[in-house]
Short mmCIF file of all heavy atoms in Angstrom, two decimals:
data_model
loop_
_atom_site.label_atom_id
_atom_site.label_comp_id
_atom_site.label_asym_id
_atom_site.label_seq_id
_atom_site.Cartn_x
_atom_site.Cartn_y
_atom_site.Cartn_z
N LEU A 42 74.92 186.19 -104.47
CA LEU A 42 74.77 184.75 -104.23
C LEU A 42 73.49 184.48 -103.45
O LEU A 42 73.11 185.25 -102.57
CB LEU A 42 75.96 184.22 -103.43
CG LEU A 42 77.25 183.91 -104.18
CD1 LEU A 42 78.39 183.70 -103.18
CD2 LEU A 42 77.08 182.67 -105.03
N VAL A 43 72.83 183.34 -103.77
CA VAL A 43 71.65 182.91 -103.03
C VAL A 43 72.10 182.06 -101.85
O VAL A 43 72.67 180.98 -102.04
CB VAL A 43 70.68 182.11 -103.91
CG1 VAL A 43 69.47 181.66 -103.09
CG2 VAL A 43 70.24 182.92 -105.12
N ASP A 44 71.89 182.54 -100.63
CA ASP A 44 72.23 181.76 -99.45
C ASP A 44 71.42 180.48 -99.42
O ASP A 44 70.20 180.51 -99.57
CB ASP A 44 71.95 182.56 -98.18
CG ASP A 44 73.15 183.37 -97.73
OD1 ASP A 44 74.29 182.98 -98.06
OD2 ASP A 44 72.96 184.40 -97.07
N GLY A 45 72.09 179.35 -99.23
CA GLY A 45 71.39 178.07 -99.19
C GLY A 45 71.13 177.48 -100.55
O GLY A 45 70.65 176.35 -100.66
N GLY A 46 71.45 178.22 -101.62
CA GLY A 46 71.38 177.70 -102.97
C GLY A 46 70.01 177.23 -103.41
O GLY A 46 68.97 177.67 -102.92
N TYR A 47 70.03 176.30 -104.39
CA TYR A 47 68.78 175.81 -104.95
C TYR A 47 67.90 175.17 -103.88
O TYR A 47 66.67 175.32 -103.91
CB TYR A 47 69.04 174.79 -106.06
CG TYR A 47 67.78 174.06 -106.46
CD1 TYR A 47 66.86 174.67 -107.32
CD2 TYR A 47 67.47 172.81 -105.94
CE1 TYR A 47 65.67 174.05 -107.65
CE2 TYR A 47 66.28 172.17 -106.27
CZ TYR A 47 65.38 172.80 -107.12
OH TYR A 47 64.20 172.17 -107.43
N LYS A 48 68.49 174.46 -102.94
CA LYS A 48 67.70 173.76 -101.92
C LYS A 48 66.85 174.76 -101.13
O LYS A 48 65.65 174.51 -100.89
CB LYS A 48 68.61 172.98 -100.96
CG LYS A 48 67.83 172.14 -99.96
CD LYS A 48 68.76 171.30 -99.10
CE LYS A 48 67.95 170.43 -98.14
NZ LYS A 48 68.83 169.61 -97.26
N ALA A 49 67.43 175.89 -100.75
CA ALA A 49 66.68 176.90 -100.01
C ALA A 49 65.64 177.56 -100.91
O ALA A 49 64.52 177.86 -100.47
CB ALA A 49 67.63 177.95 -99.44
N PHE A 50 65.99 177.79 -102.17
CA PHE A 50 65.04 178.39 -103.10
C PHE A 50 63.84 177.48 -103.30
O PHE A 50 62.69 177.94 -103.32
CB PHE A 50 65.72 178.67 -104.43
CG PHE A 50 64.84 179.40 -105.42
CD1 PHE A 50 64.78 180.78 -105.42
CD2 PHE A 50 64.06 178.70 -106.32
CE1 PHE A 50 63.96 181.46 -106.32
CE2 PHE A 50 63.23 179.36 -107.22
CZ PHE A 50 63.19 180.75 -107.21
N ARG A 51 64.09 176.19 -103.46
CA ARG A 51 63.00 175.23 -103.64
C ARG A 51 62.06 175.25 -102.43
O ARG A 51 60.83 175.25 -102.59
CB ARG A 51 63.59 173.83 -103.84
CG ARG A 51 62.62 172.67 -103.70
CD ARG A 51 61.61 172.59 -104.81
NE ARG A 51 60.68 171.49 -104.59
CZ ARG A 51 59.57 171.29 -105.29
NH1 ARG A 51 59.25 172.13 -106.26
NH2 ARG A 51 58.80 170.27 -105.03
N ALA A 52 62.61 175.27 -101.23
CA ALA A 52 61.78 175.30 -100.03
C ALA A 52 60.96 176.58 -99.98
O ALA A 52 59.77 176.56 -99.62
CB ALA A 52 62.65 175.18 -98.78
N ALA A 53 61.56 177.70 -100.36
CA ALA A 53 60.85 178.98 -100.35
C ALA A 53 59.74 178.99 -101.40
O ALA A 53 58.64 179.52 -101.17
CB ALA A 53 61.83 180.12 -100.60
N LEU A 54 60.00 178.40 -102.57
CA LEU A 54 58.98 178.35 -103.62
C LEU A 54 57.80 177.49 -103.20
O LEU A 54 56.64 177.87 -103.40
CB LEU A 54 59.61 177.80 -104.91
CG LEU A 54 58.73 177.75 -106.16
CD1 LEU A 54 59.58 178.02 -107.41
CD2 LEU A 54 58.04 176.40 -106.31
N VAL A 55 58.08 176.32 -102.62
CA VAL A 55 57.00 175.45 -102.15
C VAL A 55 56.15 176.14 -101.10
O VAL A 55 54.92 176.02 -101.08
CB VAL A 55 57.58 174.13 -101.61
CG1 VAL A 55 56.52 173.31 -100.88
CG2 VAL A 55 58.20 173.31 -102.74
N ALA A 56 56.79 176.91 -100.22
CA ALA A 56 56.05 177.64 -99.18
C ALA A 56 55.24 178.79 -99.78
O ALA A 56 54.17 179.14 -99.28
CB ALA A 56 57.02 178.18 -98.14
N ASP A 57 55.73 179.36 -100.88
CA ASP A 57 55.06 180.52 -101.49
C ASP A 57 53.90 180.14 -102.39
O ASP A 57 52.96 180.92 -102.56
CB ASP A 57 56.09 181.32 -102.30
CG ASP A 57 55.56 182.65 -102.80
OD1 ASP A 57 55.06 183.44 -101.98
OD2 ASP A 57 55.62 182.90 -104.02
N LEU A 58 53.94 178.93 -102.97
CA LEU A 58 52.95 178.54 -103.97
C LEU A 58 51.50 178.63 -103.47
O LEU A 58 50.64 179.17 -104.18
CB LEU A 58 53.24 177.13 -104.48
CG LEU A 58 53.86 177.03 -105.87
CD1 LEU A 58 54.19 175.59 -106.22
CD2 LEU A 58 52.93 177.61 -106.94
N PRO A 59 51.16 178.11 -102.28
CA PRO A 59 49.75 178.16 -101.85
C PRO A 59 49.22 179.58 -101.75
O PRO A 59 48.10 179.86 -102.22
CB PRO A 59 49.77 177.46 -100.49
CG PRO A 59 50.99 176.60 -100.51
CD PRO A 59 51.99 177.35 -101.32
N GLN A 60 49.99 180.49 -101.17
CA GLN A 60 49.50 181.86 -101.03
C GLN A 60 49.48 182.58 -102.36
O GLN A 60 48.60 183.42 -102.63
CB GLN A 60 50.34 182.63 -100.01
CG GLN A 60 51.81 182.76 -100.33
CD GLN A 60 52.62 183.32 -99.17
OE1 GLN A 60 52.19 183.23 -98.02
NE2 GLN A 60 53.76 183.91 -99.47
N LEU A 61 50.41 182.24 -103.26
CA LEU A 61 50.41 182.84 -104.59
C LEU A 61 49.18 182.36 -105.36
O LEU A 61 48.48 183.17 -105.99
CB LEU A 61 51.69 182.45 -105.33
CG LEU A 61 51.86 182.98 -106.76
CD1 LEU A 61 51.84 184.51 -106.78
CD2 LEU A 61 53.15 182.45 -107.38
N ALA A 62 48.90 181.06 -105.31
CA ALA A 62 47.73 180.52 -106.02
C ALA A 62 46.44 181.12 -105.51
O ALA A 62 45.49 181.32 -106.27
CB ALA A 62 47.71 179.00 -105.88
N ALA A 63 46.37 181.43 -104.23
CA ALA A 63 45.15 181.95 -103.61
C ALA A 63 44.87 183.40 -103.98
O ALA A 63 43.78 183.91 -103.71
CB ALA A 63 45.23 181.80 -102.10
N ARG A 64 45.82 184.07 -104.62
CA ARG A 64 45.64 185.50 -104.95
C ARG A 64 44.72 185.72 -106.14
O ARG A 64 44.22 186.82 -106.35
CB ARG A 64 46.99 186.13 -105.27
CG ARG A 64 47.96 186.22 -104.10
CD ARG A 64 49.29 186.80 -104.56
NE ARG A 64 49.14 188.17 -105.07
CZ ARG A 64 50.05 188.82 -105.79
NH1 ARG A 64 51.18 188.19 -106.11
NH2 ARG A 64 49.85 190.05 -106.20
N PHE A 65 44.46 184.67 -106.93
CA PHE A 65 43.80 184.87 -108.22
C PHE A 65 42.36 184.37 -108.24
O PHE A 65 41.97 183.49 -107.47
CB PHE A 65 44.61 184.17 -109.32
CG PHE A 65 46.01 184.71 -109.44
CD1 PHE A 65 47.07 184.08 -108.82
CD2 PHE A 65 46.26 185.86 -110.17
CE1 PHE A 65 48.36 184.58 -108.91
CE2 PHE A 65 47.54 186.37 -110.27
CZ PHE A 65 48.59 185.74 -109.64
N ARG A 66 41.59 184.95 -109.18
CA ARG A 66 40.23 184.51 -109.46
C ARG A 66 40.29 183.60 -110.70
O ARG A 66 40.73 184.03 -111.77
CB ARG A 66 39.32 185.70 -109.75
CG ARG A 66 39.13 186.63 -108.57
CD ARG A 66 38.26 187.82 -108.96
NE ARG A 66 38.90 188.69 -109.95
CZ ARG A 66 38.48 188.85 -111.20
NH1 ARG A 66 37.41 188.18 -111.63
NH2 ARG A 66 39.11 189.67 -112.02
N TYR A 67 39.86 182.36 -110.53
CA TYR A 67 39.96 181.39 -111.61
C TYR A 67 38.61 181.20 -112.30
O TYR A 67 37.55 181.24 -111.67
CB TYR A 67 40.46 180.04 -111.08
CG TYR A 67 41.84 180.13 -110.48
CD1 TYR A 67 42.00 180.32 -109.10
CD2 TYR A 67 42.98 180.04 -111.27
CE1 TYR A 67 43.27 180.43 -108.55
CE2 TYR A 67 44.25 180.15 -110.72
CZ TYR A 67 44.39 180.34 -109.35
OH TYR A 67 45.63 180.45 -108.80
N GLN A 68 38.67 180.98 -113.60
CA GLN A 68 37.53 180.50 -114.38
C GLN A 68 37.92 179.11 -114.87
O GLN A 68 38.86 178.96 -115.67
CB GLN A 68 37.26 181.44 -115.56
CG GLN A 68 36.72 182.81 -115.16
CD GLN A 68 35.26 182.74 -114.77
OE1 GLN A 68 34.43 182.11 -115.45
NE2 GLN A 68 34.91 183.38 -113.67
N VAL A 69 37.24 178.10 -114.36
CA VAL A 69 37.63 176.72 -114.63
C VAL A 69 36.89 176.22 -115.87
O VAL A 69 35.65 176.15 -115.88
CB VAL A 69 37.32 175.82 -113.42
CG1 VAL A 69 37.77 174.39 -113.71
CG2 VAL A 69 38.02 176.35 -112.17
N VAL A 70 37.65 175.87 -116.90
CA VAL A 70 37.07 175.39 -118.15
C VAL A 70 36.84 173.89 -118.03
O VAL A 70 37.79 173.10 -117.91
CB VAL A 70 37.99 175.71 -119.34
CG1 VAL A 70 37.41 175.15 -120.64
CG2 VAL A 70 38.20 177.22 -119.45
N CYS A 71 35.57 173.50 -118.04
CA CYS A 71 35.17 172.09 -117.87
C CYS A 71 34.62 171.55 -119.19
O CYS A 71 34.34 172.30 -120.12
CB CYS A 71 34.10 171.97 -116.79
SG CYS A 71 34.50 172.78 -115.23
N GLY A 72 34.45 170.26 -119.21
CA GLY A 72 33.88 169.61 -120.39
C GLY A 72 34.43 168.21 -120.50
O GLY A 72 35.58 167.95 -120.14
N PRO A 73 33.61 167.28 -121.02
CA PRO A 73 34.10 165.90 -121.16
C PRO A 73 35.23 165.81 -122.18
O PRO A 73 35.50 166.76 -122.93
CB PRO A 73 32.85 165.15 -121.65
CG PRO A 73 32.00 166.20 -122.28
CD PRO A 73 32.25 167.45 -121.52
N THR A 74 35.90 164.68 -122.20
CA THR A 74 37.03 164.47 -123.11
C THR A 74 36.62 164.77 -124.56
O THR A 74 35.56 164.35 -125.02
CB THR A 74 37.51 163.01 -123.00
OG1 THR A 74 37.92 162.76 -121.67
CG2 THR A 74 38.67 162.76 -123.95
N GLY A 75 37.45 165.56 -125.24
CA GLY A 75 37.19 165.88 -126.63
C GLY A 75 36.30 167.08 -126.86
O GLY A 75 35.95 167.39 -128.00
N SER A 76 35.94 167.78 -125.80
CA SER A 76 35.02 168.92 -125.96
C SER A 76 35.74 170.21 -126.36
O SER A 76 35.09 171.21 -126.67
CB SER A 76 34.23 169.14 -124.67
OG SER A 76 35.08 169.39 -123.58
N GLY A 77 37.06 170.22 -126.32
CA GLY A 77 37.81 171.38 -126.80
C GLY A 77 38.34 172.30 -125.71
O GLY A 77 38.61 173.47 -125.97
N LYS A 78 38.51 171.78 -124.51
CA LYS A 78 38.98 172.62 -123.40
C LYS A 78 40.34 173.24 -123.72
O LYS A 78 40.54 174.45 -123.54
CB LYS A 78 39.05 171.78 -122.11
CG LYS A 78 37.72 171.22 -121.67
CD LYS A 78 37.84 170.47 -120.35
CE LYS A 78 38.63 169.18 -120.42
NZ LYS A 78 38.00 168.16 -121.30
N THR A 79 41.27 172.42 -124.18
CA THR A 79 42.61 172.94 -124.49
C THR A 79 42.57 173.94 -125.63
O THR A 79 43.24 174.98 -125.60
CB THR A 79 43.56 171.78 -124.83
OG1 THR A 79 43.70 170.93 -123.67
CG2 THR A 79 44.94 172.30 -125.23
N ARG A 80 41.75 173.66 -126.63
CA ARG A 80 41.64 174.59 -127.76
C ARG A 80 41.08 175.94 -127.30
O ARG A 80 41.50 177.00 -127.77
CB ARG A 80 40.78 173.99 -128.86
CG ARG A 80 41.45 172.83 -129.58
CD ARG A 80 40.71 172.43 -130.83
NE ARG A 80 41.41 171.33 -131.50
CZ ARG A 80 41.09 170.86 -132.71
NH1 ARG A 80 40.09 171.41 -133.37
NH2 ARG A 80 41.77 169.86 -133.24
N LEU A 81 40.12 175.91 -126.40
CA LEU A 81 39.58 177.16 -125.89
C LEU A 81 40.63 177.92 -125.09
O LEU A 81 40.77 179.14 -125.23
CB LEU A 81 38.34 176.91 -125.03
CG LEU A 81 37.71 178.16 -124.41
CD1 LEU A 81 37.32 179.18 -125.48
CD2 LEU A 81 36.51 177.80 -123.55
N LEU A 82 41.39 177.21 -124.25
CA LEU A 82 42.46 177.88 -123.50
C LEU A 82 43.48 178.51 -124.43
O LEU A 82 43.93 179.64 -124.21
CB LEU A 82 43.15 176.87 -122.57
CG LEU A 82 42.37 176.38 -121.35
CD1 LEU A 82 43.21 175.38 -120.56
CD2 LEU A 82 41.94 177.54 -120.46
N GLN A 83 43.84 177.80 -125.48
CA GLN A 83 44.79 178.35 -126.44
C GLN A 83 44.23 179.58 -127.14
O GLN A 83 44.95 180.56 -127.36
CB GLN A 83 45.17 177.27 -127.46
CG GLN A 83 45.98 176.13 -126.87
CD GLN A 83 46.14 174.95 -127.81
OE1 GLN A 83 45.39 174.82 -128.79
NE2 GLN A 83 47.09 174.08 -127.53
N ALA A 84 42.93 179.54 -127.47
CA ALA A 84 42.29 180.69 -128.11
C ALA A 84 42.23 181.87 -127.15
O ALA A 84 42.46 183.02 -127.55
CB ALA A 84 40.89 180.30 -128.58
#
């Protein structure tokens, strides 16, 4: 059983997200609307 249930899990996830996000090296795909950013990500 998870002590504190979903409410506690949600609080733990929110606290974990910033440090988890900071662990990675990002390549940010930029471009004006219609330039194909989503298509490139899918590819």
Side-chain angles (χ1 to χ4, degrees):
L42 279 167
V43 179
D44 269 335
Y47 169 80
K48 185 176 182 181
F50 185 88
R51 165 69 182 170
L54 184 146
V55 169
D57 188 55
L58 256 176
Q60 60 190 23
L61 180 60
R64 294 177 62 195
F65 299 96
R66 296 178 294 113
Y67 299 94
Q68 291 284 315
V69 182
V70 178
C71 310
T74 300
S76 59
K78 298 184 292 296
T79 296
R80 290 191 179 188
L81 178 57
L82 289 180
Q83 292 170 343

